[in-house]
Amino acid sequence: MQIDKSQIIDLLKSQGKHEHADQAQTELPDQVDPEQHSDLLAKFGINPKDLLGKIPALGGFGG
């Protein structure tokens, strides 16, 4: 499953992690594969398995 980088950045910003969001903007590819890029996501405090529940477009409730 590919996730648009902007969704991850929006998630980080919604959690108040603006510094991580800025860093993710430069380090993440445009399309993020949670399994392939799990090390990068972990660097920003994101558990790839949690993305499904936190990004509304992926079936989550946004919080």
Side-chain angles (χ1 to χ4, degrees):
M1 168 188 2
Q2 298 284 317
I3 301 169
D4 192 76
K5 172 172 67 173
S6 64
Q7 291 181 295
I8 294 172
I9 291 169
D10 289 344
L11 173 65
L12 288 168
K13 286 180 180 178
S14 75
Q15 295 175 340
K17 299 178 180 178
H18 297 282
E19 222 173 275
H20 282 158
D22 292 342
Q23 196 175 358
Q25 181 69 45
T26 61
E27 294 187 29
L28 290 175
D30 290 336
Q31 293 295 310
V32 179
D33 181 327
E35 290 181 16
Q36 182 181 358
H37 301 109
S38 61
D39 56 336
L40 273 175
L41 293 171
K43 180 178 180 178
F44 305 121
I46 297 175
N47 181 338
K49 293 179 182 178
D50 290 344
L51 282 177
L52 185 61
K54 291 187 177 175
I55 295 181
L58 301 177
F61 296 104

Coordinates of all heavy atoms in Angstrom, one line a residue:
M1 N 0.8 -1.2 0.0 CA 0.0 0.0 0.0 C 0.9 1.2 0.0 O 1.8 1.3 0.8 CB -0.9 0.0 1.2 CG -1.6 1.3 1.5 SD -2.5 1.5 3.0 CE -2.3 0.1 3.9
Q2 N 0.6 2.2 -0.9 CA 1.3 3.4 -1.0 C 0.5 4.5 -0.3 O -0.7 4.6 -0.5 CB 1.6 3.8 -2.4 CG 2.4 2.8 -3.2 CD 3.9 2.9 -2.8 OE1 4.4 4.0 -2.7 NE2 4.5 1.7 -2.6
I3 N 1.2 5.4 0.5 CA 0.5 6.5 1.1 C 1.2 7.8 0.6 O 2.4 7.9 0.6 CB 0.7 6.4 2.7 CG1 0.1 5.1 3.1 CG2 0.0 7.6 3.3 CD1 0.4 4.8 4.6
D4 N 0.4 8.8 0.3 CA 0.9 10.0 -0.2 C 1.7 10.7 1.0 O 1.2 10.8 2.1 CB -0.2 10.9 -0.7 CG 0.3 12.1 -1.5 OD1 0.7 11.9 -2.6 OD2 0.3 13.2 -0.9
K5 N 2.8 11.2 0.6 CA 3.7 11.9 1.6 C 2.9 13.0 2.4 O 3.1 13.2 3.6 CB 4.9 12.5 1.0 CG 5.8 13.3 1.9 CD 7.1 13.7 1.3 CE 7.0 14.6 0.1 NZ 8.3 15.1 -0.3
S6 N 2.1 13.7 1.6 CA 1.3 14.9 2.2 C 0.4 14.4 3.4 O 0.2 15.1 4.3 CB 0.6 15.6 1.2 OG -0.5 14.8 0.6
Q7 N -0.1 13.2 3.3 CA -1.0 12.7 4.3 C -0.2 12.4 5.6 O -0.7 12.7 6.7 CB -1.7 11.4 3.9 CG -2.7 11.6 2.8 CD -3.4 10.3 2.4 OE1 -2.7 9.4 1.9 NE2 -4.6 10.2 2.7
I8 N 1.0 12.0 5.4 CA 1.9 11.7 6.6 C 2.3 13.0 7.2 O 2.3 13.2 8.5 CB 3.1 10.9 6.2 CG1 2.6 9.5 5.8 CG2 4.1 10.8 7.4 CD1 3.6 8.6 5.2
I9 N 2.6 14.0 6.4 CA 3.0 15.3 6.9 C 1.8 16.0 7.6 O 2.0 16.5 8.7 CB 3.5 16.2 5.7 CG1 4.9 15.6 5.3 CG2 3.7 17.7 6.2 CD1 5.4 16.2 4.0
D10 N 0.6 15.9 7.1 CA -0.6 16.4 7.7 C -0.8 15.7 9.1 O -1.2 16.4 10.1 CB -1.8 16.2 6.9 CG -1.8 17.1 5.6 OD1 -1.0 18.1 5.6 OD2 -2.6 16.9 4.7
L11 N -0.6 14.4 9.1 CA -0.7 13.7 10.4 C 0.3 14.2 11.4 O -0.1 14.4 12.6 CB -0.5 12.2 10.1 CG -0.4 11.3 11.4 CD1 -1.8 11.3 12.1 CD2 0.0 9.9 11.0
L12 N 1.5 14.4 11.0 CA 2.5 14.9 12.0 C 2.2 16.3 12.5 O 2.3 16.6 13.7 CB 3.9 14.9 11.3 CG 4.6 13.6 11.0 CD1 5.8 13.7 10.1 CD2 5.0 12.9 12.3
K13 N 1.7 17.1 11.6 CA 1.3 18.5 12.0 C 0.1 18.4 12.9 O 0.1 19.2 13.9 CB 1.0 19.3 10.7 CG 2.2 19.7 10.0 CD 1.8 20.5 8.8 CE 3.1 21.0 8.0 NZ 2.7 21.7 6.8
S14 N -0.8 17.5 12.7 CA -2.0 17.4 13.5 C -1.6 17.0 14.9 O -2.4 17.2 15.9 CB -3.1 16.5 12.9 OG -2.7 15.1 13.1
Q15 N -0.5 16.3 15.1 CA 0.0 15.8 16.3 C 0.9 16.8 17.0 O 1.5 16.6 18.0 CB 0.7 14.5 16.2 CG -0.2 13.4 15.7 CD 0.6 12.1 15.5 OE1 1.8 12.1 15.3 NE2 -0.1 11.0 15.4
G16 N 1.1 18.0 16.3 CA 2.0 19.0 16.9 C 3.4 18.8 16.6 O 4.3 19.4 17.2
K17 N 3.8 17.9 15.8 CA 5.2 17.5 15.5 C 5.6 18.3 14.2 O 6.0 17.7 13.2 CB 5.3 16.0 15.3 CG 4.9 15.2 16.5 CD 5.0 13.7 16.2 CE 4.6 12.9 17.4 NZ 4.7 11.5 17.1
H18 N 5.6 19.6 14.3 CA 6.0 20.4 13.1 C 7.4 20.3 12.7 O 7.7 20.3 11.5 CB 5.6 21.9 13.4 CG 4.2 22.1 13.7 ND1 3.3 22.2 12.7 CD2 3.5 22.2 14.8 CE1 2.1 22.4 13.2 NE2 2.2 22.4 14.5
E19 N 8.3 20.1 13.6 CA 9.7 19.8 13.3 C 9.9 18.5 12.5 O 10.6 18.5 11.5 CB 10.6 19.8 14.5 CG 11.9 20.5 14.4 CD 12.6 20.6 15.7 OE1 12.3 21.5 16.5 OE2 13.5 19.7 16.0
H20 N 9.2 17.5 13.0 CA 9.2 16.2 12.2 C 8.6 16.3 10.9 O 9.0 15.7 9.9 CB 8.5 15.1 13.0 CG 9.3 14.5 14.1 ND1 8.8 13.9 15.2 CD2 10.7 14.5 14.4 CE1 9.7 13.5 16.0 NE2 10.9 13.9 15.5
A21 N 7.5 17.1 10.8 CA 6.8 17.3 9.5 C 7.7 18.0 8.5 O 7.8 17.6 7.3 CB 5.5 18.2 9.7
D22 N 8.5 19.0 8.9 CA 9.4 19.7 8.1 C 10.5 18.7 7.6 O 10.9 18.7 6.4 CB 10.1 20.9 8.8 CG 9.1 22.0 9.0 OD1 8.0 22.0 8.4 OD2 9.4 22.8 9.9
Q23 N 11.0 17.9 8.5 CA 12.0 16.9 8.2 C 11.5 15.9 7.2 O 12.2 15.5 6.3 CB 12.6 16.3 9.5 CG 13.9 15.6 9.3 CD 14.4 15.1 10.6 OE1 13.8 15.3 11.7 NE2 15.6 14.4 10.6
A24 N 10.3 15.4 7.5 CA 9.7 14.4 6.6 C 9.5 14.9 5.2 O 9.6 14.2 4.2 CB 8.3 13.9 7.2
Q25 N 9.2 16.2 5.1 CA 8.9 16.8 3.8 C 10.2 16.6 2.9 O 10.0 16.4 1.7 CB 8.6 18.3 4.0 CG 8.4 19.1 2.7 CD 7.1 18.6 2.0 OE1 6.1 18.5 2.7 NE2 7.1 18.4 0.7
T26 N 11.3 16.7 3.5 CA 12.6 16.6 2.7 C 13.1 15.2 2.6 O 13.7 14.8 1.6 CB 13.7 17.5 3.3 OG1 14.0 17.0 4.6 CG2 13.3 18.9 3.3
E27 N 12.7 14.3 3.5 CA 13.3 13.0 3.5 C 12.4 11.9 3.0 O 12.9 10.9 2.5 CB 13.7 12.6 5.0 CG 14.9 13.5 5.5 CD 15.4 13.0 6.8 OE1 15.3 11.8 7.1 OE2 15.9 13.9 7.6
L28 N 11.1 12.0 3.0 CA 10.2 11.0 2.6 C 10.0 11.1 1.0 O 10.0 12.2 0.5 CB 8.9 11.0 3.3 CG 8.8 10.7 4.7 CD1 7.4 10.9 5.3 CD2 9.2 9.2 4.9
P29 N 9.9 9.9 0.4 CA 9.5 10.0 -1.1 C 8.1 10.4 -1.2 O 7.3 10.4 -0.2 CB 9.7 8.5 -1.5 CG 9.5 7.7 -0.3 CD 10.0 8.6 0.9
D30 N 7.7 10.8 -2.4 CA 6.3 11.3 -2.7 C 5.3 10.2 -2.3 O 4.2 10.6 -1.8 CB 6.1 11.7 -4.1 CG 6.9 13.0 -4.4 OD1 7.2 13.8 -3.5 OD2 7.2 13.2 -5.6
Q31 N 5.6 9.0 -2.6 CA 4.7 7.9 -2.3 C 5.4 7.0 -1.3 O 6.5 6.5 -1.6 CB 4.3 7.1 -3.5 CG 3.4 7.8 -4.5 CD 2.1 8.2 -3.8 OE1 1.4 7.3 -3.3 NE2 1.7 9.4 -3.9
V32 N 4.9 6.8 -0.1 CA 5.5 6.1 1.0 C 4.9 4.7 1.1 O 3.7 4.6 1.2 CB 5.4 6.9 2.3 CG1 6.0 6.1 3.5 CG2 6.0 8.3 2.2
D33 N 5.7 3.7 1.1 CA 5.3 2.3 1.4 C 5.7 2.1 2.9 O 6.8 2.0 3.2 CB 6.1 1.4 0.5 CG 5.7 -0.1 0.7 OD1 5.3 -0.5 1.8 OD2 5.7 -0.8 -0.3
P34 N 4.6 1.9 3.7 CA 4.9 1.8 5.2 C 5.8 0.6 5.5 O 6.6 0.8 6.5 CB 3.5 1.5 5.7 CG 2.6 2.1 4.8 CD 3.2 1.9 3.4
E35 N 5.8 -0.5 4.7 CA 6.7 -1.6 5.0 C 8.1 -1.2 4.6 O 9.1 -1.4 5.3 CB 6.2 -2.8 4.4 CG 5.0 -3.4 5.0 CD 4.5 -4.7 4.3 OE1 5.3 -5.3 3.6 OE2 3.3 -5.0 4.5
Q36 N 8.3 -0.7 3.4 CA 9.6 -0.4 2.8 C 10.2 0.8 3.6 O 11.5 0.8 3.7 CB 9.5 -0.1 1.4 CG 10.8 0.2 0.7 CD 10.6 0.5 -0.8 OE1 9.5 0.5 -1.3 NE2 11.7 0.8 -1.5
H37 N 9.5 1.7 4.0 CA 10.0 2.9 4.6 C 9.8 3.0 6.1 O 9.8 4.1 6.7 CB 9.4 4.2 3.9 CG 9.7 4.2 2.5 ND1 8.7 4.0 1.5 CD2 10.8 4.4 1.8 CE1 9.2 4.1 0.3 NE2 10.5 4.4 0.4
S38 N 9.6 1.8 6.7 CA 9.3 1.8 8.2 C 10.4 2.5 9.0 O 10.1 3.1 10.0 CB 9.1 0.4 8.6 OG 10.2 -0.4 8.4
D39 N 11.6 2.3 8.6 CA 12.7 3.0 9.3 C 12.6 4.5 9.3 O 12.8 5.2 10.4 CB 14.1 2.5 8.8 CG 14.3 2.8 7.3 OD1 13.3 2.9 6.6 OD2 15.5 2.9 6.9
L40 N 12.2 5.1 8.2 CA 12.1 6.5 8.1 C 10.9 6.9 8.9 O 10.9 7.9 9.6 CB 11.8 6.9 6.6 CG 13.1 7.2 5.8 CD1 12.7 7.5 4.4 CD2 13.9 8.4 6.4
L41 N 9.8 6.2 8.8 CA 8.6 6.5 9.6 C 8.8 6.5 11.1 O 8.4 7.4 11.8 CB 7.4 5.6 9.2 CG 6.9 5.7 7.8 CD1 5.9 4.6 7.4 CD2 6.3 7.1 7.6
A42 N 9.6 5.5 11.5 CA 9.9 5.4 12.9 C 10.7 6.6 13.4 O 10.6 7.0 14.5 CB 10.7 4.1 13.2
K43 N 11.6 7.1 12.5 CA 12.4 8.3 12.8 C 11.5 9.5 13.2 O 11.9 10.3 14.0 CB 13.2 8.6 11.6 CG 14.2 9.7 11.7 CD 15.0 9.9 10.5 CE 15.9 11.0 10.5 NZ 16.7 11.2 9.3
F44 N 10.3 9.5 12.6 CA 9.4 10.6 12.9 C 8.3 10.2 13.9 O 7.3 10.9 14.1 CB 8.7 11.0 11.6 CG 9.7 11.4 10.5 CD1 9.7 10.8 9.3 CD2 10.6 12.4 10.7 CE1 10.6 11.1 8.3 CE2 11.5 12.7 9.7 CZ 11.5 12.1 8.5
G45 N 8.5 9.1 14.6 CA 7.6 8.7 15.6 C 6.3 8.0 15.1 O 5.3 8.1 15.8
I46 N 6.4 7.5 13.9 CA 5.2 6.9 13.3 C 5.4 5.4 13.2 O 6.4 4.9 12.7 CB 4.9 7.4 11.9 CG1 4.6 8.9 12.0 CG2 3.7 6.7 11.3 CD1 4.4 9.6 10.7
N47 N 4.4 4.6 13.8 CA 4.4 3.2 13.7 C 3.6 2.9 12.4 O 2.5 3.2 12.3 CB 3.8 2.5 14.9 CG 3.7 1.0 14.8 OD1 3.8 0.4 13.8 ND2 3.6 0.4 16.0
P48 N 4.3 2.2 11.4 CA 3.6 2.0 10.2 C 2.3 1.2 10.3 O 1.3 1.5 9.6 CB 4.6 1.1 9.4 CG 5.9 1.4 10.0 CD 5.7 1.8 11.4
K49 N 2.2 0.4 11.3 CA 0.9 -0.3 11.6 C -0.2 0.6 12.1 O -1.4 0.3 11.9 CB 1.1 -1.5 12.5 CG 2.0 -2.6 12.0 CD 2.3 -3.7 13.0 CE 3.2 -4.7 12.4 NZ 3.5 -5.8 13.3
D50 N 0.2 1.7 12.7 CA -0.8 2.7 13.2 C -1.3 3.6 12.1 O -2.4 4.2 12.3 CB -0.2 3.5 14.3 CG 0.1 2.7 15.6 OD1 -0.4 1.6 15.7 OD2 0.9 3.2 16.4
L51 N -0.7 3.7 11.0 CA -1.1 4.6 9.9 C -2.5 4.3 9.5 O -3.3 5.2 9.2 CB -0.2 4.5 8.7 CG 1.1 5.2 8.8 CD1 2.0 5.0 7.6 CD2 0.9 6.7 9.1
L52 N -2.9 3.0 9.4 CA -4.2 2.7 8.9 C -5.3 3.3 9.8 O -6.3 3.8 9.3 CB -4.4 1.1 8.9 CG -5.7 0.6 8.3 CD1 -5.8 1.0 6.9 CD2 -5.8 -0.9 8.4
G53 N -5.1 3.4 11.1 CA -6.1 3.9 11.9 C -6.1 5.4 12.1 O -7.0 6.0 12.6
K54 N -5.0 6.1 11.6 CA -4.8 7.5 11.8 C -5.0 8.4 10.6 O -5.2 9.6 10.7 CB -3.4 7.8 12.4 CG -3.3 7.2 13.8 CD -2.0 7.6 14.5 CE -1.9 7.1 15.9 NZ -0.7 7.4 16.5
I55 N -5.0 7.8 9.4 CA -5.2 8.6 8.2 C -6.6 8.2 7.7 O -6.8 7.1 7.3 CB -4.1 8.3 7.2 CG1 -2.7 8.8 7.7 CG2 -4.4 9.0 5.9 CD1 -1.6 8.6 6.8
P56 N -7.5 9.2 7.7 CA -8.9 8.9 7.3 C -9.0 8.2 5.9 O -9.9 7.3 5.8 CB -9.5 10.3 7.3 CG -8.7 11.1 8.2 CD -7.3 10.6 8.1
A57 N -8.3 8.6 5.0 CA -8.4 8.0 3.6 C -8.0 6.6 3.6 O -8.3 5.9 2.7 CB -7.5 8.8 2.6
L58 N -7.4 6.1 4.7 CA -7.0 4.7 4.7 C -7.9 3.9 5.6 O -7.6 2.8 6.1 CB -5.5 4.6 5.3 CG -4.5 5.3 4.4 CD1 -3.1 5.1 5.1 CD2 -4.5 4.7 3.0
G59 N -9.0 4.5 6.0 CA -10.0 3.8 6.8 C -10.0 4.2 8.3 O -10.7 3.6 9.0
G60 N -9.2 5.1 8.6 CA -9.1 5.6 10.0 C -10.1 6.6 10.3 O -10.9 7.0 9.4
F61 N -10.1 7.1 11.5 CA -11.1 8.1 11.9 C -10.4 9.5 12.2 O -11.0 10.4 12.8 CB -11.8 7.7 13.2 CG -12.6 6.4 13.0 CD1 -12.2 5.2 13.4 CD2 -13.8 6.5 12.3 CE1 -12.9 4.1 13.2 CE2 -14.6 5.4 12.0 CZ -14.1 4.1 12.5
G62 N -9.1 9.6 11.8 CA -8.4 10.8 11.9 C -7.9 11.2 13.3 O -7.5 12.3 13.6
G63 N -7.9 10.2 14.2 CA -7.5 10.6 15.5 C -7.2 9.4 16.3 O -6.6 9.2 17.2

